[in-house]
Amino acid sequence: MHVTIHIVEDDPGVGDALSLLLQQLGHETIVYADAEAFFRHTPPVDGDTVIVDLCLPGMPGMQVIRWLKSLNLQLKIIAISGQPQASIRRMLQGETPDILLRKPLREEALTKYL
Amino acid sequence: MPDSYTDSLAMTASVSKARLLSVLDTAVDGIVIMDESARIILYNKACEALFGYQSEEVRGKNVKILMPESYAREHDGYVRSYIDTGVRRIIGIGREVKARHRDGTEFPIELSVGEAQTPEGRQFIGIMRDIRQRKLVEERLSKAQAQLVSMARINALDEMGAAIAHELNQPLTAIMLYLQAIKRKSEGVVGLEGVLIDVIDKGVKEAERASQIIQRMRQFVEKREPERKPVDVPTLLRECVDLVTLGKMGEGVLLSLEVGEDMPELNADPVQIQQIVVNLIRNAMDAVKGCQKKAVDIRAWHDEEAISIAVSDSGPGVPQENLANLFKAFSGSKRSGLGLGLAISKSLAQNHGGDLAVDPVGPSGGATFTLKLPIDEPSAAGE
C-alpha cells in the first residue's frame, strides 16, 4: 500500500536518501529539516506515516511524537536515531515510541514497518 | 603592666629552665638534644611515644639507638665529618629519614637539626615529626590520581568512540539508502540488471560491513554503565581538593570548600564523579592564572531531589562565542588535552541521570560550573 511519508530529519543526506528510497518503493514523501518546519506544513492525515529523528535542532523529536499522538489520528510513527543508547534513553524521557530504529538504517528494517 | 612584663622576661636560670622543660614536654614533635659525641642529653615526652623508650632509658646513650641499622652505621662518621670540616649536610636543611622504634619497626620522619654553642660544649638539637600518616595520605592520593588518569583515558576513548559512531552513522545511513534506491530504480530496466545490480549489491554489502563495525563499537562503548556505590559527598570533595593541590600547593590559588549540612549520600560511581569535579577545579585554576585575584570556590548543597556541586572562579568567565560549543567533543581551545574534558564530564553526569551546566559569569566574576546529581537515581533501566 502506498502512503504519504513525512520525514523530520535534520541531516540533509539522510533525509534525501530516505526520501529517494521511499519514493522508489512507490510512496509519497515530504522532508522537513526540523520540527518547526513540520509544524508550519499542513498536518498529516489518517493513514500517513511520520518518520522522526529524535535528535533535532530546536524542538526535540520526542515532543513532535507527543504532539502527533495528541492528534488522535491513524498515524504510523517511526522514531529514528543515530545516538548512543544512553542519549536515546535521555531523549525518550521514560516514554517509548511505537517503533524505534537506530541508524544506520537499512531498507529491510524500514519496509518491515511500512 | 610593665612590671609583669619584666617578670616574664626574667632570665634567671631556674625560670628559663622550667620554661624550656615545659616547652619541650608540650611539643607535639619529638625533640632530642645530643652532645658532640652523639650522646643523648635530653629526650622529650613526644619522643617517648614516638620511639617507645622512656627518657631514663636513653639518656646518655648514643643517639644511634633511635635509628635503623643502615643509618646507625654511618651516623658517627657524619657527626665526625661535620665537626672536622664544618660542611653542613643536614643542619639547618632538614630531610626525610627513617627512624626506628624500640620494637624494631622503622618509620619515616621529618628531621630538622640545629646546633648550639653552650658552656658545656657544642650540642645538636634534633626535631622529629612522624610522617607515617602523611605518607599514607600521599600514597592514597597518588593512587587515586593514577586511577583518575586511567579512567580519564578510558572515558576519552569511550567518548571518542561514541562521537565517531554517531558522526559516521549519518553519512553511512545516507549511502546505504541511496544505493538501495538505485538498485530499486534499476530493477526491471532492461540491460541494467547483470553487472550494475551486482556492483550495487557489493556497495551495499560494504556499507553494511562499515555499519556493523560501528554497531560493534557502539555496543562496546555502551556496555559501560557507572559502577554505583554510596558516596559521602563532603569526603569526596575534600579528596578532590587534595588531588588538585597535590604537589602543586595550589599555585597561589585560594581554594575554598563549603559543604551544606546534612548532605545525603549519593548513589554514584565515585571515580567518575571525582573525575568531573577534579576536571572542573583544574579548569577553574587554569582560568584564574594571570588574574589579580586567584580564587576558586567549591560549594555543595542539596534539596529533596538532587545534590549540586558548583565550582566558581574569579577568572574572566567564558566568552560568549565559546558558549555554544563548550560541552562538545573536539572543540576545546586548550592546546593540551583533546578538548574532551567538559564533553566527557557532561556525559558522565548525564550517565548518572544528572547534568552539568555553566553560568558564564558567576558570582565571583568568573564562570560557575554546576554539577547536579539526583539523590535517588535508580540504576539505569534495562534496554
Side-chain angles (χ1 to χ4, degrees):
Chain A
M1 194 180 65
H2 295 163
V3 294
T4 300
I5 302 177
H6 305 260
I7 302 166
V8 193
E9 163 66 65
D10 64 309
D11 187 283
V14 175
D16 184 52
L18 201 49
S19 160
L20 195 68
L21 176 69
L22 294 172
Q23 282 173 18
Q24 298 297 332
L25 295 169
H27 303 291
E28 198 172 302
T29 60
I30 313 167
V31 184
Y32 314 89
D34 52 28
E36 289 74 5
F38 180 46
F39 288 149
R40 277 197 298 274
H41 198 269
T42 333
V45 294
D46 275 338
D48 284 1
T49 293
V50 188
I51 299 178
V52 186
D53 189 347
L54 286 177
C55 184
L56 292 170
M59 186 183 290
M62 203 54 219
Q63 210 160 318
V64 177
I65 294 175
R66 237 175 273 140
W67 174 76
L68 286 170
K69 285 191 166 171
S70 75
L71 294 179
N72 276 323
L73 294 171
Q74 293 296 313
L75 296 175
K76 185 166 286 168
I77 304 169
I78 301 176
I80 57 175
S81 179
Q83 295 281 332
Q85 190 63 44
S87 319
I88 293 181
R89 199 158 48 221
R90 272 199 302 283
M91 289 187 293
L92 294 181
Q93 299 165 330
E95 292 177 61
T96 2
D98 304 337
I99 303 163
L100 171 63
L101 298 178
R102 294 183 70 181
K103 292 179 191 169
L105 292 172
R106 298 159 47 104
E107 184 189 335
E108 303 80 77
L110 269 171
T111 46
K112 200 162 80 183
Y113 295 105
L114 292 173
Chain B
M1 277 158 268
D3 279 356
S4 53
Y5 269 122
T6 324
D7 269 355
S8 72
L9 290 171
M11 287 304 283
T12 61
S14 64
V15 172
S16 124
K17 187 172 178 197
R19 194 181 285 146
L20 176 65
L21 286 177
S22 138
V23 166
L24 287 173
D25 281 342
T26 316
V28 181
D29 292 338
I31 300 175
V32 166
I33 297 177
M34 67 171 204
D35 65 13
E36 267 183 336
S37 351
R39 275 188 311 239
I40 298 174
I41 304 169
L42 189 146
Y43 175 93
N44 76 339
K45 272 240 161 29
C47 278
E48 293 184 351
L50 205 54
F51 295 101
Y53 296 104
Q54 296 303 301
S55 179
E56 311 79 61
E57 293 175 89
V58 296
R59 210 175 296 136
K61 296 243 170 70
N62 192 298
V63 76
K64 285 191 284 195
I65 193 172
L66 308 175
M67 302 172 194
E69 204 28 60
S70 54
Y71 286 98
R73 224 178 299 129
E74 311 288 342
H75 190 253
D76 282 339
Y78 291 151
V79 177
R80 176 80 10 237
S81 147
Y82 172 64
I83 288 169
D84 291 347
T85 66
V87 176
R88 298 180 158 197
R89 300 213 187 269
I90 187 160
I91 295 168
I93 301 166
R95 63 169 60 137
E96 238 180 78
V97 294
K98 281 263 166 57
R100 197 178 72 123
H101 188 269
R102 179 181 206 154
D103 65 14
T105 319
E106 294 180 15
F107 57 97
I109 57 167
E110 201 170 70
L111 170 68
S112 27
V113 180
E115 78 174 303
Q117 295 290 351
T118 76
E120 294 158 15
R122 188 139 52 161
Q123 295 186 350
F124 299 94
I125 173 163
I127 300 180
M128 290 154 288
R129 176 166 297 175
D130 186 349
I131 52 174
R132 269 175 288 199
Q133 214 44 42
R134 198 182 81 195
K135 283 270 168 200
L136 275 180
V137 171
E138 275 175 12
E139 260 169 48
R140 195 173 50 79
L141 280 176
S142 75
K143 249 194 223 144
Q145 201 173 37
Q147 199 183 7
L148 270 186
V149 169
S150 88
M151 276 302 296
R153 289 215 184 101
I154 291 171
N155 284 321
L157 279 176
D158 279 9
E159 196 68 19
M160 217 192 293
I164 292 173
H166 176 236
E167 295 301 320
L168 286 182
N169 249 331
Q170 305 279 43
L172 208 53
T173 296
I175 290 173
M176 284 201 340
L177 296 177
Y178 277 135
L179 285 174
Q180 287 175 324
I182 306 179
K183 192 180 158 190
R184 289 262 159 211
K185 184 110 190 158
S186 16
E187 268 164 6
V189 178
V190 183
L192 278 183
E193 281 103 345
V195 178
L196 186 57
I197 303 259
D198 209 32
V199 170
I200 293 171
D201 274 342
K202 282 182 185 164
V204 171
K205 267 213 191 77
E206 290 306 305
E208 278 173 356
R209 192 156 70 98
S211 103
Q212 273 157 14
I213 294 173
I214 285 180
Q215 268 159 9
R216 240 177 293 145
M217 190 153 103
R218 197 156 59 181
Q219 276 160 10
F220 179 72
V221 171
E222 287 174 0
K223 248 189 302 192
R224 254 192 285 275
E225 282 287 334
E227 285 172 32
R228 293 170 189 273
K229 50 180 158 184
V231 175
D232 180 56
V233 176
T235 311
L236 179 128
L237 291 179
R238 271 191 295 276
E239 270 185 20
C240 290
V241 172
D242 288 346
L243 274 171
V244 288
T245 48
L246 185 68
K248 282 194 191 170
M249 302 317 283
E251 295 174 339
V253 178
L254 202 66
L255 276 172
S256 78
L257 174 61
E258 192 189 317
V259 181
E261 282 177 16
D262 304 322
M263 195 62 90
E265 269 186 349
L266 198 61
N267 184 27
D269 182 331
V271 178
Q272 293 194 352
I273 301 304
Q274 207 160 46
Q275 200 186 344
I276 302 176
V277 177
V278 164
N279 181 29
L280 292 179
I281 301 178
R282 283 204 184 127
N283 283 349
M285 287 170 73
D286 279 351
V288 299
K289 233 176 235 168
C291 293
Q292 195 114 65
K293 184 176 173 232
K294 296 189 183 70
V296 172
D297 298 328
I298 303 135
R299 284 178 309 119
W301 68 93
H302 74 281
D303 55 27
E304 276 166 22
E305 283 147 18
I307 288 181
S308 300
I309 299 165
V311 178
S312 319
D313 64 66
S314 59
V318 181
Q320 198 63 38
E321 65 266 26
N322 291 358
L323 265 184
N325 287 325
L326 200 59
F327 293 106
K328 290 217 180 109
F330 314 116
S331 69
S333 51
K334 272 191 223 163
R335 218 174 300 165
S336 62
L338 275 169
L340 278 170
L342 281 175
I344 291 179
S345 295
K346 194 175 176 92
S347 74
L348 289 182
Q350 290 177 337
N351 278 347
H352 277 83
D355 205 359
L356 177 63
V358 64
D359 177 357
V361 188
S364 356
T368 296
F369 285 85
T370 306
L371 169 66
K372 198 168 176 183
L373 297 163
I375 293 168
D376 280 317
E377 168 70 8
S379 4
E383 315 290 65

